[in-house]
Each structure stands twice: as C-alpha cells, then as structure tokens.
Amino acid sequence: QALLVESGGALVQPGGSLTLSCIASDITFRVANMAWHRQAPGKQRELVALITYNEQTNYADFAKGRFIISRDNAKNTVYLQMNALKPDDTAVYYCNLDGSPYWGKGTRVTVSS
C-alpha cells in the first residue's frame, strides 16, 4: 500500500510562511497525481491544491496566489509552500494520492499570534 508521511506543520504568526512536505513510498510517484487537503476544527476536509504527474496545478480559491504546490520526483516528495498565512488557514493538512483512499496522517498548522 501507499505510505504518505507529512511534516512541517507548526505554529506560525499571521502573515508568516510555512512549507509542508509529504514523502511518498510504495507508489510509482512519477506518474502519481498528488494533492493537499486540510481540515479545520469542526469543519469538513477540503482540497487545498493538486499537482499532476506532469506538474499541472490546481488551487482552491483561498489558496490561489498564496500557496504553491510542487514536487520533486527524485525525492518522492510533494511540497506545499504557504505564504501570507491567516488564522483561517489553521487546520490539519493532509497529503493524498489523488483519487485514492491513501492519505497521510496529517500535520497540524496553527496560525495565531
């Protein structure tokens, strides 16, 4: 089975930046479409960004212009760079093999003063 492990979550002040990483194993990463989702306290999980195997990207409206999804196939890693963070970005962020039931366990991001 696919194994996805996120890292990089932290407490950050509003306006700050943070980069999350997800290392994938047990998949053919170079042909995998990867996504980041998030779930805020008391809310439903939502898509943040997606990157295809050939590096096409899609972003949720709240992420567009602030977040950047990228990948390094040599490292089997997908990244989420988050800039200009807001308190509403507080959530657990999950890595997902797109369209699959394979998820990481999540990494927590808290945006607060």
Side-chain angles (χ1 to χ4, degrees), residues 7 9 13 29-30 32 50 63 75 78 83-84 99-100 103 106 109 111-112:
S7 64
Q13 294 187 347
F29 187 80
R30 66 178 180 86
L50 181 146
K75 298 180 179 179
V78 61
N83 303 304
S100 83
W103 299 81
V109 174
V111 184
S112 176

Side-chain angles (χ1 to χ4, degrees), residues 4-51:
L4 307 173
V5 180
E6 305 97 334
S7 64
L11 172 65
V12 61
Q13 294 187 347
S17 298
L18 197 63
T19 298
L20 309 180
S21 299
C22 171
I23 300 175
S25 59
D26 297 322
I27 65 169
T28 306
F29 187 80
R30 66 178 180 86
V31 297
N33 298 333
M34 304 298 300
W36 286 97
H37 294 69
R38 72 184 188 184
Q39 188 165 15
K43 297 186 177 180
Q44 297 291 325
R45 189 171 299 187
E46 61 184 344
L47 177 70
V48 177
L50 181 146
I51 185 165

Side-chain angles (χ1 to χ4, degrees), residues 3-110:
L3 178 63
L4 307 173
V5 180
E6 305 97 334
S7 64
L11 172 65
V12 61
Q13 294 187 347
S17 298
L18 197 63
T19 298
L20 309 180
S21 299
C22 171
I23 300 175
S25 59
D26 297 322
I27 65 169
T28 306
F29 187 80
R30 66 178 180 86
V31 297
N33 298 333
M34 304 298 300
W36 286 97
H37 294 69
R38 72 184 188 184
Q39 188 165 15
K43 297 186 177 180
Q44 297 291 325
R45 189 171 299 187
E46 61 184 344
L47 177 70
V48 177
L50 181 146
I51 185 165
T52 68
Y53 71 94
N54 59 344
E55 301 192 15
Q56 298 178 79
T57 58
N58 289 306
Y59 296 92
D61 286 344
F62 64 79
K64 189 175 182 179
R66 296 193 299 131
F67 295 2
I68 301 171
I69 188 170
S70 62
R71 66 193 296 156
D72 186 338
N73 288 350
K75 298 180 179 179
N76 279 13
T77 301
V78 61
Y79 304 95
L80 183 68
Q81 181 182 343
M82 303 184 291
N83 303 304
L85 284 162
K86 304 174 180 180
D88 285 349
D89 295 320
T90 296
V92 177
Y93 286 71
Y94 297 91
C95 184
N96 174 234
L97 175 61
D98 187 56
S100 83
Y102 301 112
W103 299 81
K105 294 183 178 180
T107 186
R108 181 176 295 277
V109 174
T110 302

